[in-house]
Amino acid sequence: MKLIRILPLFLLFAFIQLDTKAQWNYVAYGEVTSNNEQVKLEGAVVSLFKNGSQSGQQVTKKNGKYTFVLDPENDYVISYTKAGFITKRIFISTKNVPPERSKFGFSKQPIDVDLFEMPADPTIVSKINELLAEPMGKFVYVASAQD
């Protein structure tokens, strides 16, 4: 009879333990600027791609700020663009974070991006776009640094 009373409690406790292991996230936030960070860029389109599919988009206001909440065990690309400016991208992976490390959260670090105006020369634009086709920055969990 005691076993029947204890079993539901044990199952509940086990479920809570399993559920809490995946209950972390990473907040990607920052500011989009132009003119060497002197001007906060209003109207920039900041798009979030999760495992290759677009999962979010924000248009910056006067303060140039954006925020996305990233779930564990996914690969993300954040794209920053505005008409008349060169597009930039960054890569963030939330994969391979050990459960014991995820309990403590991660240091807050803004991801500020400075967009520059598109040059008039199409040859230069083509070369820049070729260089920036891949993400210009990568954020991944590094086991040796535990961050």
Side-chain angles (χ1 to χ4, degrees):
M1 198 67 157
K2 280 187 174 183
L3 180 62
I4 293 173
R5 286 186 207 160
I6 295 173
L7 186 59
L9 289 174
F10 175 76
L11 291 174
L12 179 64
F13 180 72
F15 176 74
I16 291 170
Q17 290 290 57
L18 288 174
D19 191 42
T20 58
K21 287 183 180 180
Q23 296 301 320
W24 66 274
N25 57 43
Y26 180 78
V27 179
Y29 71 99
E31 204 171 77
V32 183
T33 58
S34 69
N35 199 18
N36 293 322
E37 300 178 8
Q38 294 178 11
V39 178
K40 294 174 184 356
L41 200 54
E42 181 179 8
V45 178
V46 185
S47 301
L48 179 68
F49 296 87
K50 180 179 181 178
N51 300 320
S53 298
Q54 187 170 348
S55 63
Q57 186 175 72
Q58 297 176 12
V59 178
T60 58
K61 296 186 171 41
K62 289 180 182 180
N63 64 7
K65 295 186 182 213
Y66 72 93
T67 301
F68 292 110
V69 178
L70 310 183
D71 296 325
E73 297 303 320
N74 293 286
D75 288 331
Y76 295 90
V77 172
I78 301 178
S79 172
Y80 307 83
T81 191
K82 183 175 178 172
F85 289 80
I86 296 292
T87 298
K88 292 183 178 177
R89 295 169 190 80
I90 62 158
F91 172 84
I92 301 174
S93 179
T94 58
K95 291 183 175 181
N96 303 317
V97 177
E100 63 275 4
R101 173 56 184 91
S102 65
K103 292 178 194 175
F104 303 106
F106 297 91
S107 57
K108 292 187 177 188
Q109 178 179 355
I111 305 170
D112 297 337
V113 174
D114 192 60
L115 298 181
F116 53 92
E117 292 185 47
M118 194 156 317
D121 184 341
T123 306
I124 295 173
V125 171
S126 176
K127 288 180 181 180
I128 291 171
N129 284 333
E130 186 178 316
L131 288 171
L132 294 177
E134 291 296 317
M136 57 175 267
K138 292 186 179 188
F139 296 81
V140 297
Y141 177 76
V142 177
S144 61
Q146 295 188 352
D147 202 16

